[in-house]
Amino acid sequence: MSRGPKYCLILLLAFSLPYISCSGAGRYEPGVITQQNPPRGFELVRYIGPTIEGGADLYSPCDIAFDVDGQMFICDNGNHRILKLGRQLAFIKEIGGFGNGNEQLANPIAIVFDNGLTLMVADTQKRRISRFDRNLNFIDFFLEYKSAEAFANIGKPSGIHIGRNGDIYLSDDDNNRVLVLDSFYNLQSEIGGFGYGNGELSSPAGLVTDQSDNLLVADSRNGRIAVYNSVGGYSGDFGRDRLRYPIDIAIDPAGYIYVSDRNLKSVLVFSRSGKYTIESSSYGSFLDEPAGIHIHSDGYIYVADRASNRIAVLNIIR
């Protein structure tokens, strides 16, 4: 049988699309791996904590962020606070403490910087998103619980991410969805909804966008990474055969996807096409309950380890 230009075009498209959903299964279909310098192993660089000189010991830290000057901010869930450490990891300041005041927090779960300048804090028990400057001075709330009927009811925030275009993505554990806001904090859409099928979520947590503006969501109770395109359409998923309870996601400059898994006590690495490659637990028992994960410009991976009350700094061997 002859194979003309139309056949060639279809074949080309099939092998160039990064996210493809299998018919009827809603699965993420691995494509062709094109990345260079694949990760080949993990090694421990150091731990930060539990003891923080000049401040209280860490207690169930769950996320990490860095500002434009490379200063580290730790979301210390058990102490209801945010810590700021200098480039040499010296204690600078903390904000929070349990309560209802503007500067107080109640089990903050995730943090992210807006262009490295404004720190956004997902405050779980207070059901609101707080903003602080880099010196941890309170700015305002831009989204908070209003009423059970309100579309903008934040529920329990469980993850926060800012895309390349400034859009804000919020995981809402109570309502099993992701809220999408523009850079002016106007609510644009919602993604997901409770369930186990295509496009549905169960306890969404960490989330990230890739270079094509696809949204990847740690679909915790479904044990997978759900993928949505730039307009919110479901594209598939991956990791079902490997993940147990994914918590957070990060993507390195080469496009490799790193997923922290609470139940596996490990960070798993997938190619851009969703193919499993390696995991940290194969190279050492570095983690007890990994949560937030951050790939820093220094090339190291910073992982908040809640059960061990510390931050693990890992190096990727390539």
Side-chain angles (χ1 to χ4, degrees), residues 36-42 206-208 216 218 225 238 243 246-261 266-272 275 277-280 291-295 299-303 314-318:
Q36 302 297 316
N37 302 319
R40 300 188 182 278
F42 285 83
L207 61 178
V208 70
L216 284 67
I225 303 301
F238 64 89
L243 299 170
I247 295 294
D248 200 15
I249 317 169
I251 301 177
D252 73 12
Y256 284 90
I257 302 163
Y258 299 73
V259 181
S260 60
D261 191 298
S266 188
V267 172
L268 291 78
V269 185
F270 298 85
S271 70
R272 184 171 180 266
K275 183 178 180 180
T277 59
I278 61 172
E279 59 187 280
S280 65
I293 182 170
H294 182 93
I295 299 177
Y300 294 145
I301 299 175
Y302 293 73
V303 186
L314 305 178
N315 181 44
I316 292 293
I317 302 169
R318 296 182 183 273

Side-chain angles (χ1 to χ4, degrees), residues 80-221:
H80 314 286
R81 64 175 180 167
I82 306 297
L83 281 79
K84 177 181 179 180
L85 306 181
R87 292 176 62 91
Q88 303 304 315
L89 304 179
F91 174 81
I92 295 177
K93 186 178 179 180
E94 66 178 67
I95 196 72
F98 184 82
N100 292 313
N102 288 347
E103 295 185 350
Q104 293 178 308
L105 302 167
N107 297 120
I109 196 68
I111 55 177
V112 68
F113 266 103
D114 184 358
N115 295 318
L117 299 174
T118 303
L119 183 70
M120 298 184 183
V121 181
D123 193 348
T124 303
Q125 297 302 324
K126 297 304 175 186
R127 300 187 177 197
R128 64 191 184 191
I129 309 299
S130 303
R131 296 199 311 152
F132 298 86
D133 66 20
R134 290 193 299 149
N135 294 317
L136 293 181
N137 297 307
F138 175 76
I139 298 174
D140 60 15
F141 308 116
F142 72 82
L143 189 65
E144 57 185 316
Y145 181 88
K146 295 180 180 179
S147 70
E149 294 76 26
F151 175 69
N153 167 21
I154 184 58
K156 254 187 192 179
S158 50
I160 184 169
H161 172 72
I162 300 176
R164 294 187 305 160
N165 63 355
D167 283 352
I168 303 164
Y169 300 86
L170 295 169
S171 294
D172 181 355
D173 183 72
D174 270 357
N175 297 297
N176 298 289
R177 64 178 178 171
V178 173
L179 298 178
V180 184
L181 296 83
D182 65 21
S183 57
F184 298 100
Y185 314 122
N186 298 308
L187 192 60
Q188 299 298 301
S189 62
E190 63 175 312
I191 296 170
F194 177 72
Y196 313 102
N198 297 349
E200 296 175 323
L201 300 168
S202 182
S203 292
L207 61 178
V208 70
T209 50
D210 65 13
Q211 288 299 308
S212 299
D213 295 322
N214 296 295
L215 174 66
L216 284 67
V217 182
D219 190 5
S220 297
R221 292 191 183 277

Side-chain angles (χ1 to χ4, degrees), residues 278-289:
I278 61 172
E279 59 187 280
S280 65
S281 60
S282 298
Y283 301 89
S285 300
F286 307 131
L287 305 165
D288 288 319
E289 188 184 342

